[in-house]
Amino acid sequence: SKEDIAEILVSISKIIADKVGTMMILELWPGHANSKTFKLFCGELPGTTKAFKDGLLAFTSEQGGKFQVISNEIGHPAGLTKLFSKSEIRNQIFFWMGLEIPPLYRGTAGTSYPIYFRGFKSFLSDTIKRAVFAFIRVQTPKQFSHHTIFGKTEIDQAARLVDQCLSDLSDKIDFLLLVSPINTDHAWKKFKKGRYKQPPNFKYRMIGLDPEKEKHTIYGVPMDRIEDPALSFLLRDKRRELSKQLSMLEERGTDNFRYIGQSIYGVPGVELITAANYILNTVRKTSSESDRLDCYEFQAQANKAFKYYQNRFNGQKLTAEVNENISGLIVSQRCLMIGSNMTIPRSRVQALIEHEIGTHILTFCNGFQQPLRLMSSGFAGYDELQEGLAVLAEYLTGGLNANRLRLLAARVLAVDAMVRGSNFMETFALLIDKCELKHYTAFKVVTRVYRGGGLTKDAIYLKGLKRLVDYIKDGGKLEILYTGKFNFKHIPLMEELLSRSVLKAPVLPRIHHNEESANRLSVLHQLKDITDLINIRK
């Protein structure tokens, strides 16, 4: 009965008040079917009221609806009586607030809008957390650093099941390996022998899964049962990306492969293309370095770096393998695969080790220690932040030289050329003539861009670096970014999950304990634009 509920709440408030001084009771109920107005019933709680008002007004201005504050009145759901009268509340040690919520997520005939409701639920959850934070900060001696701390500290069973399923598929796909040619070296020799007249014919690994069956599996998981809005957003985002990657595997070798991929990796915008052109027009290339390491010498250097991290990740086996079926370097989970025919300038060795091991493998290992497996496999769109972080690591080691910066810019123009309709041969000529790349380097860039039918991923290296520098200049915390593999837009969610102790603090790369790297990092705060890196390169 109403009296029993009121009596229970009064008893609870007395127990809580003995510890923190007071308590707030927030009563929520739905408005009538045609209502579009949030009604906040409140007393003398200006800070808490403002937090509600700010959140609800921001929502209603974007999504429609209205907001109304009703002071010094006790509201209640239609058909029910009030839990407390004004006099009862005045005589108690708790504050009462009521919020009538318009059912905007439902049509007048009772039709539900599940997609809209997910966003609505997330907004309302965040608004309530902000209001509770304001109440505790003003009315109690308790102090918390941020409103995001008010959330679940454990991952519910549904979220664990979905995470497990999506992570299993992500590991099973190994997407970049399946869309990378296995005959690059042979194709180059034939391309060169033919005097660069005919485009190469690439071969790929067999696809050992059924995309349709895998899609059915990931859309059968209990996504709607996940209670935490932050986790629900992250996991739904990843499911969409995996579905697109499965479609890309079905379309490998066709134009559809590129079109679907563009919805994951995007295409270069005007600002990025301008930055790439500026670098190519301003930074003069340097002569090739004769002192180079072969694949086995580089493998030995990689194994030295692994020893440093192995001590910090007990039980995780880190390996560097020479592979005849790849060109360049590819990271697969804890393994660095090195192309058997590649050679690396000695001055670039440490930069590449910090790029591949100190970023990609480190974030995998950090993510693997988290309660969510996708922290290691990677949430949707993680590549841009990962590659930006990896190129930043090159800069922090002093290894981001003129030729490397020009190469990143050339990749942007190659992707842009492909998107605008240029074929393999036309883009190859562009890199030779405008970007002044050597024939073999140009071939490798174009191969990466046109693999599988066209992959725009290579534009995100420069884009990610530019966005990362802006993040650092705005006061963003670099340490958070090593927690696992995620997207720029996920950073606030990662901060929330860390503040709630859902996630563990990460192991940082070894260069972050280096004084020279710290000095280079401090310089970034003075940059006007990412292209100014060409003036302070070392």
Side-chain angles (χ1 to χ4, degrees):
S1 69
K2 170 236 175 184
E3 289 76 15
D4 291 337
I5 295 173
E7 186 176 340
I8 291 171
L9 290 174
V10 170
S11 298
I12 292 173
S13 70
K14 290 178 180 178
I15 296 172
I16 293 177
D18 286 340
K19 295 184 177 182
V20 297
T22 188
M23 169 179 152
M24 178 176 73
I25 294 177
L26 175 62
E27 188 177 353
L28 307 175
W29 64 88
H32 62 78
N34 296 319
S35 173
K36 294 185 180 299
T37 303
F38 289 92
K39 296 180 180 179
L40 180 66
F41 298 84
C42 59
E44 298 300 320
L45 290 174
T48 308
T49 301
K50 183 179 185 302
F52 267 119
K53 185 176 181 180
D54 290 345
L56 295 173
L57 282 176
F59 179 82
T60 54
S61 64
E62 290 184 8
Q63 303 292 329
K66 299 177 182 179
F67 171 66
Q68 181 182 2
V69 175
I70 304 173
S71 301
N72 298 313
E73 184 177 325
I74 308 300
H76 60 92
L80 297 177
T81 57
K82 300 173 183 178
L83 275 176
F84 304 102
S85 66
K86 285 185 181 182
S87 60
E88 287 174 326
I89 291 176
R90 276 197 298 267
N91 294 329
Q92 298 298 336
I93 52 178
F94 59 78
F95 291 91
W96 178 90
M97 296 187 80
L99 180 63
E100 182 177 295
I101 304 169
L104 301 172
Y105 46 86
R106 253 205 247 58
T108 53
T111 307
S112 62
Y113 308 130
I115 296 175
Y116 180 86
F117 178 72
R118 287 196 290 270
F120 183 90
K121 178 182 176 183
S122 180
F123 131 77
L124 193 58
S125 173
D126 186 70
T127 300
I128 291 173
K129 288 176 187 175
R130 291 178 185 274
V132 170
F133 177 74
F135 174 81
I136 292 175
R137 182 176 57 83
V138 175
Q139 304 295 338
T140 78
K142 294 288 184 179
Q143 294 297 317
F144 297 102
S145 59
H146 201 267
H147 76 277
T148 55
I149 200 168
F150 304 121
K152 297 175 77 67
T153 57
E154 295 183 358
I155 299 172
D156 61 71
Q157 186 62 26
R160 289 185 182 277
L161 287 172
V162 174
D163 172 64
Q164 180 76 41
C165 177
L166 300 184
S167 181
D168 285 346
L169 178 58
S170 184
D171 294 343
K172 186 177 180 180
I173 290 178
D174 213 342
F175 181 73
L176 285 182
L177 272 180
L178 289 179
V179 302
S180 296
I182 59 175
N183 65 328
T184 305
D185 292 330
H186 179 266
W188 159 247
K189 292 173 183 176
K190 188 174 180 180
F191 185 62
K192 181 180 179 183
K193 186 177 180 179
R195 298 181 180 276
Y196 320 116
K197 300 295 184 182
Q198 294 295 325
N201 181 25
F202 292 119
K203 296 180 180 179
Y204 298 90
R205 293 168 176 80
M206 296 293 288
I207 299 172
L209 52 81
D210 183 344
E212 288 187 1
K213 182 179 178 181
E214 301 298 344
K215 285 182 186 179
H216 178 76
T217 299
I218 61 175
Y219 277 97
V221 296
M223 190 76 74
D224 58 333
R225 298 181 193 169
I226 298 174
E227 298 174 7
D228 191 319
L231 295 182
S232 177
F233 173 80
L234 288 167
L235 294 171
R236 285 182 186 278
D237 217 16
K238 183 61 180 181
R239 183 169 65 177
R240 280 192 294 269
E241 182 183 75
L242 284 170
S243 179
K244 290 177 183 179
Q245 288 181 333
L246 289 168
S247 295
M248 290 176 73
L249 294 180
E250 289 181 299
E251 300 289 348
R252 191 177 66 180
T254 72
D255 288 340
N256 286 338
F257 177 91
R258 172 167 69 85
Y259 299 140
I260 300 169
Q262 286 176 195
S263 69
I264 298 176
Y265 301 107
V267 298
V270 174
E271 184 180 354
L272 185 62
I273 295 169
T274 300
N277 278 313
Y278 179 63
I279 290 171
L280 290 168
N281 293 332
T282 308
V283 182
R284 299 272 60 85
K285 70 176 184 176
T286 59
S287 57
S288 299
E289 187 177 333
S290 57
D291 187 9
R292 305 177 74 88
L293 275 63
D294 65 21
C295 62
Y296 296 104
E297 291 172 316
F298 183 75
Q299 181 187 33
Q301 293 296 317
N303 283 329
K304 288 181 181 179
F306 277 139
K307 286 182 180 179
Y308 175 87
Y309 292 110
Q310 190 77 61
N311 294 331
R312 288 154 178 79
F313 296 105
N314 294 328
Q316 296 196 47
K317 186 179 179 182
L318 311 178
T319 60
E321 299 177 359
V322 174
N323 191 312
E324 295 181 356
N325 292 324
I326 69 167
S327 176
L329 301 170
I330 293 181
V331 165
S332 179
Q333 298 187 357
R334 304 176 191 84
C335 179
L336 173 61
M337 292 184 281
I338 307 165
S340 58
N341 289 327
M342 78 174 299
T343 62
I344 298 170
R346 186 174 297 276
S347 64
R348 287 273 301 152
V349 169
Q350 290 307 312
L352 286 176
I353 284 176
E354 294 305 329
H355 180 119
E356 306 293 353
I357 297 176
T359 304
H360 296 324
I361 290 180
L362 174 62
T363 50
F364 178 90
C365 291
N366 275 324
F368 192 78
Q369 295 191 129
Q370 305 295 349
L372 290 168
R373 282 189 56 195
L374 280 170
M375 289 294 293
S376 59
S377 304
F379 285 108
Y382 74 88
D383 300 89
E384 183 183 336
L385 176 52
Q386 274 285 297
E387 300 303 351
L389 204 56
V391 175
L392 178 68
E394 296 180 37
Y395 165 72
L396 295 178
T397 65
L400 186 60
N401 58 30
N403 288 349
R404 174 61 168 170
L405 204 57
R406 287 178 59 85
L407 178 64
L408 299 183
R411 288 178 178 178
V412 172
L413 297 192
V415 170
D416 179 56
M418 178 186 68
V419 170
R420 289 187 290 104
S422 297
N423 60 33
F424 187 101
M425 300 305 300
E426 291 167 338
T427 304
F428 177 76
L430 170 74
L431 297 184
I432 297 293
D433 298 336
K434 181 173 181 178
C435 302
E436 301 178 344
L437 298 187
K438 291 186 175 181
H439 286 74
Y440 181 56
T441 303
F443 174 81
K444 289 194 295 183
V445 170
V446 182
T447 296
R448 289 170 60 101
V449 171
Y450 283 81
R451 57 183 159 172
L455 196 64
T456 61
K457 176 181 180 291
D458 271 20
I460 66 176
Y461 289 77
L462 188 61
K463 181 182 179 183
L465 179 62
K466 186 178 187 307
R467 193 169 176 183
L468 181 58
V469 169
D470 289 341
Y471 168 80
I472 293 170
K473 287 169 61 179
D474 289 340
K477 297 178 180 178
L478 193 59
E479 295 80 7
I480 291 173
L481 309 185
Y482 293 96
T483 308
K485 299 178 185 288
F486 47 86
N487 196 328
F488 275 102
K489 70 180 181 181
H490 297 152
I491 294 175
L493 294 177
M494 294 301 140
E495 291 175 333
E496 175 181 342
L497 295 173
L498 281 165
S499 71
R500 284 158 44 188
S501 298
V502 174
L503 300 180
K504 302 174 184 176
V507 172
L508 299 180
R510 59 180 180 174
I511 56 172
H512 280 245
H513 306 291
N514 181 292
E515 185 176 347
E516 288 186 16
S517 297
N519 291 336
R520 290 191 180 96
L521 185 61
S522 66
V523 172
L524 295 182
H525 294 277
Q526 305 167 18
L527 292 182
K528 295 180 180 178
D529 189 85
I530 185 62
T531 53
D532 288 342
L533 277 172
I534 61 176
N535 299 319
I536 59 173
R537 59 193 184 279
K538 299 183 180 182

